[in-house]
Amino acid sequence: MTTPSPRPEILTITAYVAGESELPGANRTIKLSSNEGAFGVPPSARAAIIQAAESAYRYPDGGAERLREAIGRRWGLNPDRIVCGAGSDDLLYQFCLAYGGPGRDIIMSAHGFAIFHIAGTYAGSRVIKVPERNLTADLDAMLAAVSPATRLVFLANPNNPTGSMVPADDVARFRAALPPEVLLVLDSAYAEYVTDPAYDAGIKLVDATDNTVMTRTFSKVFGLGGMRIGWCYAPPGVIDVLNRVRGTFNVSVPAQAAAIAALAEPGWVEKSRTHNTEYRPKLTAGIQAAGLKVWPSEGNFVLVDLETTENANAADAFLRTNGIIVRKVGGYGLPHCLRVTVGTAEEVGLAVDAFTEFMRQSRG
Ligand SMILES: *Cc1c(COP(=O)(O)O)cnc(C)c1O
């Protein structure tokens, strides 16, 4: 019997594995598996979502004009150079579908964000994963992988799940060395958490070139992962393409209202960033003191290196029995590691205690 079948490459895609939320049987679950902000939903965004219920029978503003203006004011950008999406993942898909496709290669780093590979393969592109150095994108090696077929290069900066960051000067040199017909996508989902002064989220490079885009999200520091809002800053030619192909009403009424309110929430980003700047090192030092390697991170998460897959699986199982969910990253080619989100002060303490007890028991 003949049944409908997709293009063959679709069945090579491994479905994205999201961080789990619940542990059956645990009376309290501590979710440190999806890099969500530590402080929940901004109060004004919560109020805006409830208020938006009134107008949920209306289609949203397809152009997200008020939201783009609010983003423009916040970051000092021309709203005409912004496009919003249903999460930044939505925009990553649009880039792949519009600029990728059969015969159009995509380059990413070996442990780069999973959606680059999924969306690129979906578009029909060959997605080339370039080996990293010290779990950091190796820009020279990525350049060496460029061929006349290359059309897109993705760089998450900082990268998830490694936490590694590439300095702005290196990214600028990389851009200059890439062929002009290659679109460089800088995914800056964790920009707000970076403390290294050598970093830039990409705005300067987007302004200085006509072939670089930057994506951002409301899912992390703004505490709105469940609402699905992201945006990109891009040259006029790319904006024109996105507006032709994106979902007409891609950002819902409550999502637009929530994002506008979150931007206006006084001190929200500062509070979150200050917390992360204090507790990322505490989480790192606590797990190191337990006897484990922790990779340096510029995000709101750290990558714990347990050296073997067996150890990582055992630690994950132990954490679960203590009600703590972290993220296994075998799908990223890092089966010996676990990714742990920087939660509240209490959650960080409980995670450190659990790793410490795991190590004590595994020595004993
Ligand atoms: C979390 C994350 C995103 C955000 O995705 P949304 O679709 O905006 O929720 C994008 N890129 C990376 C690298 C991420 O870790």
Side-chain angles (χ1 to χ4, degrees):
M1 211 172 66
T2 310
T3 55
S5 61
R7 285 179 282 119
E9 67 271 20
I10 301 300
L11 299 179
T12 70
I13 295 173
T14 309
Y16 184 84
V17 182
E20 288 172 72
S21 308
E22 304 282 342
L23 286 175
N27 46 17
R28 177 180 172 201
T29 304
I30 296 166
K31 182 176 192 288
L32 302 175
S33 56
S34 296
N35 298 344
E36 295 142 339
F39 298 121
V41 179
S44 55
R46 188 192 144 86
I49 292 165
I50 291 165
Q51 214 196 350
E54 291 288 330
S55 37
Y57 73 106
R58 301 245 188 237
Y59 276 98
D61 169 9
E65 194 170 326
R66 282 186 56 225
L67 174 55
R68 286 188 298 105
E69 281 167 3
I71 293 167
R73 272 193 302 279
R74 171 71 161 240
W75 280 277
L77 306 174
N78 177 353
D80 294 343
R81 303 274 303 275
I82 294 167
V83 170
C84 296
S88 47
D89 285 2
D90 178 17
L91 299 168
L92 301 173
Y93 273 87
Q94 304 305 331
F95 293 133
C96 290
L97 292 166
Y99 291 90
R104 295 169 157 250
D105 292 356
I106 295 176
I107 292 176
M108 64 182 286
S109 68
H111 308 293
F113 187 45
I115 299 294
F116 305 155
H117 187 263
I118 295 173
T121 307
Y122 181 24
S125 284
R126 181 164 69 125
V127 183
I128 299 168
K129 290 189 177 183
V130 177
E132 303 186 358
R133 266 176 199 255
N134 278 326
L135 295 195
T136 305
D138 181 344
L139 301 185
D140 292 330
M142 287 170 80
L143 278 177
V146 171
S147 79
T150 308
R151 288 293 179 279
L152 274 160
V153 174
F154 283 101
L155 182 67
N157 198 24
N159 183 52
N160 168 20
T162 55
S164 58
M165 187 277 290
V166 181
D169 290 350
D170 295 354
V171 178
R173 272 195 296 273
F174 180 56
R175 167 69 271 178
L178 284 169
E181 70 273 18
V182 170
L183 183 67
L184 173 62
V185 180
L186 300 172
D187 176 347
S188 306
Y190 299 96
E192 286 83 0
Y193 294 111
V194 176
T195 50
D196 188 330
Y199 178 74
D200 184 75
I203 291 172
K204 286 180 211 151
L205 205 55
V206 175
D207 283 336
T209 63
D210 54 12
N211 43 20
T212 309
V213 305
M214 172 192 73
T215 60
R216 302 289 285 264
T217 182
F218 281 87
S219 300
K220 307 286 156 58
V221 77
F222 286 101
L224 292 173
M227 296 304 290
R228 313 305 304 126
I229 317 136
W231 56 280
C232 70
Y233 181 55
V238 176
I239 296 287
D240 174 62
V241 167
L242 287 177
N243 281 329
R244 291 169 194 261
V245 299
R246 67 177 172 80
T248 319
F249 302 109
N250 57 353
V251 188
S252 74
V253 168
Q256 292 190 34
I260 291 167
L263 286 171
E265 177 87 27
W268 182 263
V269 171
E270 293 76 5
K271 172 179 135 177
S272 305
R273 185 212 287 274
T274 303
H275 171 81
N276 200 65
T277 303
E278 180 178 355
Y279 282 91
R280 183 175 64 206
K282 283 189 174 161
L283 179 61
T284 302
I287 298 172
Q288 283 171 335
L292 291 166
K293 172 169 177 157
V294 181
W295 289 86
S297 172
E298 291 287 336
N300 67 335
F301 57 91
V302 299
L303 189 70
V304 182
D305 194 330
L306 290 115
E307 288 177 355
T308 67
T309 306
E310 293 67 38
N311 278 345
N313 289 343
D316 180 62
F318 182 83
L319 291 165
R320 283 166 175 274
T321 61
N322 286 270
I324 301 173
I325 309 178
V326 298
R327 185 73 147 77
K328 284 180 152 179
V329 284
Y332 284 91
L334 300 166
H336 54 295
C337 294
L338 295 172
R339 192 192 69 194
V340 186
T341 305
V342 178
T344 62
E346 186 198 14
E347 289 167 343
V348 166
L350 291 169
V352 168
D353 290 350
F355 274 106
T356 306
E357 183 58 20
F358 169 74
M359 290 302 281
R360 200 187 62 77
Q361 288 188 14
S362 52
R363 276 192 206 95

